[in-house]
């Protein structure tokens, strides 16, 4: 149930712009091709599917461990209480694990998508400092001129 709270987009979370000399139709074609490439690179599953899978597995494991611990400590009634507690803790852990898993998969998907689109000649914006004028000269003073040569020896 907590896995439903994890929401991850089903595509790239980065911006890519059409390359110079590329038509918008070429961009759209390459976008679909690169989305498929990126999905294949992360195992053919989307980030949200992986998150839901991870959360469900953690809930099942938590329930089983809780039931085993409850049975060991309190018999049959302890097993039921342990299973309930294990389900709650396993679900909470599963939500966290699912979110972490989804974030890692989304990042890997984005990297593969960017590489593919860049290789096809499209523009990938990067973060950095923008300047409107060329940078100033060196920030250090030039060295002083060399001293004059010594006078000739007296005759």
């Amino acid at each position: 149930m907590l896995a439903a709270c994890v929401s991850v987009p089903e595509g790239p979370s980065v911006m890519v712009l059409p390359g110079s000399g590329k038509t918008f139709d070429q961009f759209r074609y390459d976008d679909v091709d690169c989305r498929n490439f990126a999905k294949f690179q992360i195992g053919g599953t989307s980030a949200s599917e992986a998150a839901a899978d991870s959360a469900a597995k953690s809930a099942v494991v938590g329930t089983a461990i809780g039931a085993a611990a409850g049975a060991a400590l309190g018999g049959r009634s302890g097993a039921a209480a342990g299973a309930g507690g294990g389900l709650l803790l396993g679900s909470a852990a599963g939500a966290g694990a699912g979110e972490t898993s989804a974030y890692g998969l989304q990042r890997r998907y984005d990297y593969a998508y960017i590489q593919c689109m860049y290789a096809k000649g499209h523009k990938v914006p990067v973060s950095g400092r923008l300047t409107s004028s060329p940078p100033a000269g060196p920030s250090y003073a030039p060295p002083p001129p060399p001293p004059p040569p010594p006078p000739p020896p007296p005759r």
Side-chain angles (χ1 to χ4, degrees):
M1 195 155 77
L2 292 175
C5 298
V6 178
S7 175
V8 179
E10 294 289 329
S13 63
V14 293
M15 180 174 58
V16 175
L17 302 170
S20 299
K22 298 277 189 172
T23 67
F24 189 65
D25 286 336
Q26 287 172 316
F27 176 79
R28 288 179 32 204
Y29 178 82
D30 291 342
D31 175 63
V32 170
D33 188 41
C34 289
R35 285 173 186 251
N36 289 332
F37 171 75
K39 189 171 183 177
F40 176 77
Q41 292 301 306
I42 63 169
T45 183
S46 71
S48 58
E49 289 169 346
D53 184 53
S54 178
K57 286 179 182 175
S58 293
V60 169
V61 169
T63 302
I65 291 173
L73 297 175
R76 188 175 288 197
S77 63
L87 175 61
L88 289 175
L89 291 175
S91 296
E99 192 171 335
T100 301
S101 177
Y103 174 76
L105 279 176
Q106 182 68 53
R107 198 173 64 195
R108 286 179 34 218
Y109 179 97
D110 289 344
Y111 291 160
Y113 176 78
I114 288 171
Q115 290 170 350
C116 179
M117 290 296 279
Y118 185 78
K120 291 180 178 285
H122 298 287
K123 297 177 185 173
V124 179
V126 294
S127 62
R129 191 179 79 184
L130 299 175
T131 59
S132 58
S133 63
S139 61
Y140 57 88
R155 292 187 187 206

